[in-house]
Amino acid sequence: MEIDRRSEDAHDLVVKLHRYWEWGRLLPKDADKYTVDLVRSRPDAIEHVDHDKRLWRRVYPPTGREGLIPVAFVFADTTEAKVANTVAVLEEAGRRYWASCRYDCLYREAVTARDYRQAVPVVVTTLEQLQEHGAGAAVWRRLGRTTEQTLTDALDNPDGHALYRAQEARADAQDKQRRAAEREAQRPVCTRCGRKFTDERWEEITVHRTAVRAGDKSVCGPCRADDVARQEAAAEAARLAAAAPEPEDDPEPNRSRGWFRRRT
């Protein structure tokens, strides 16, 4: 919590916010070598390091929300106009530190949720409001929002990770349905009986190692089985015919005719 009695310029508060943000991105001194090397490899690598492995988690317990440790600016002994001006500077010049961003995901058009994981939640109020209504009242305004809320509501992210998971799951299910419909529209139809090919038969005629033995690729599995059965039956008949013994020749073809020869 920062209590400002207008002894600091608004841009000085932005500098403080920047320092809080940077501190939330530090690793502890005993971080493992792999994590240290990863963070040194590129400027944004720290964003891929879980918060439990960062320094701030050695000092503060988990917040139960996305993002870094929240910061509260409480303004005292000042006017509403000066408070509004200071908040406007914090929102504009400090946006890099408190604002969420879009999720980098496969379904960007379907996902409207915001990513708060690398942001510092910043809430503002006045000392006069706290004295009059108490810290549990709706006297807190979070940067980026327009209304005053209770502290719990101000720190919650209704458009954050929970919404992201729901939207991503819904988009993924819709994408699977779309791809399944597209695949079904391309499913071959048997030219003989009119039935659609099964997945097994479809794969059989398209995969190279089985396509060479798939026979007539325009017929479905049952019709192909009928073709195979007919071919096997014909082959078996030919085999039996070839194995049958041929009739023997008569060794004395004119012998019987001599028995009935008329005497002259």
Side-chain angles (χ1 to χ4, degrees):
M1 180 179 290
E2 290 279 344
I3 299 179
D4 179 29
R5 297 183 180 274
R6 296 305 299 137
S7 59
E8 295 180 285
D9 181 76
H11 291 280
D12 292 334
L13 299 184
V14 174
V15 173
K16 281 189 174 182
L17 179 56
H18 178 208
R19 289 173 179 170
Y20 282 122
W21 178 78
E22 283 189 325
W23 184 74
R25 297 165 69 87
L26 295 178
L27 294 176
K29 292 182 179 180
D30 59 349
D32 62 89
K33 185 177 183 301
Y34 173 81
T35 303
V36 172
D37 291 342
L38 173 64
V39 171
R40 289 175 177 174
S41 64
R42 60 183 189 273
D44 65 340
I46 186 64
E47 297 178 3
H48 301 281
V49 176
D50 190 77
H51 288 282
D52 287 339
K53 296 182 178 181
R54 302 189 194 182
L55 176 62
W56 75 266
R57 282 290 283 108
R58 301 286 183 91
V59 181
Y60 294 97
T63 65
R65 303 177 178 88
E66 308 100 294
L68 304 173
I69 288 296
V71 175
F73 288 105
V74 179
F75 302 103
D77 303 330
T78 187
T79 65
E80 290 185 5
K82 290 182 178 179
V83 170
N85 179 68
T86 301
V87 171
V89 172
L90 277 171
E91 285 189 319
E92 183 62 29
R95 178 174 295 275
R96 171 70 180 87
Y97 316 122
W98 62 261
S100 61
C101 61
R102 292 193 64 178
Y103 275 94
D104 184 13
C105 63
L106 181 62
Y107 310 107
R108 286 180 64 87
E109 294 183 0
V111 173
T112 61
R114 305 294 296 179
D115 186 354
Y116 292 90
R117 290 175 295 178
Q118 309 304 322
V120 177
V122 179
V123 293
V124 298
T125 189
T126 64
L127 186 59
E128 291 73 21
Q129 285 183 303
L130 292 177
Q131 290 173 337
E132 181 178 356
H133 304 289
V139 297
W140 303 92
R141 184 167 84 81
R142 182 162 170 176
L143 295 191
R145 300 179 187 175
T146 58
T147 59
E148 293 180 335
Q149 301 172 287
T150 64
L151 185 59
T152 299
D153 289 343
L155 293 177
D156 282 343
N157 302 310
D159 59 343
H161 195 64
L163 178 62
Y164 165 70
R165 294 183 64 180
Q167 290 181 332
E168 183 187 43
R170 183 164 56 250
D172 184 63
Q174 292 173 347
D175 184 61
K176 288 180 179 178
Q177 291 176 355
R178 178 186 58 78
R179 287 187 281 113
E182 290 177 352
R183 172 177 169 80
E184 195 61 27
Q186 297 173 356
R187 185 180 294 275
V189 176
C190 182
T191 57
R192 187 177 303 166
C193 70
R195 285 180 291 191
K196 288 186 175 183
F197 282 28
T198 63
D199 289 342
E200 292 77 11
R201 176 58 176 167
W202 194 359
E203 180 180 357
E204 183 182 25
I205 67 170
T206 53
V207 177
H208 177 70
R209 67 175 183 274
T210 56
V212 294
R213 302 187 302 274
D216 185 353
K217 297 180 177 62
S218 68
V219 299
C220 64
C223 289
R224 168 60 178 162
D226 292 343
D227 289 346
V228 172
R230 283 194 295 269
Q231 293 170 1
E232 292 178 348
E236 179 65 13
R239 186 189 67 81
L240 293 176
E246 295 182 359
E248 296 182 2
D249 295 334
D250 188 352
E252 298 182 10
N254 297 320
R255 181 179 177 181
S256 59
R257 283 184 299 173
W259 295 345
F260 300 98
R261 186 174 301 169
R262 182 179 299 178
R263 294 182 180 180
T264 59

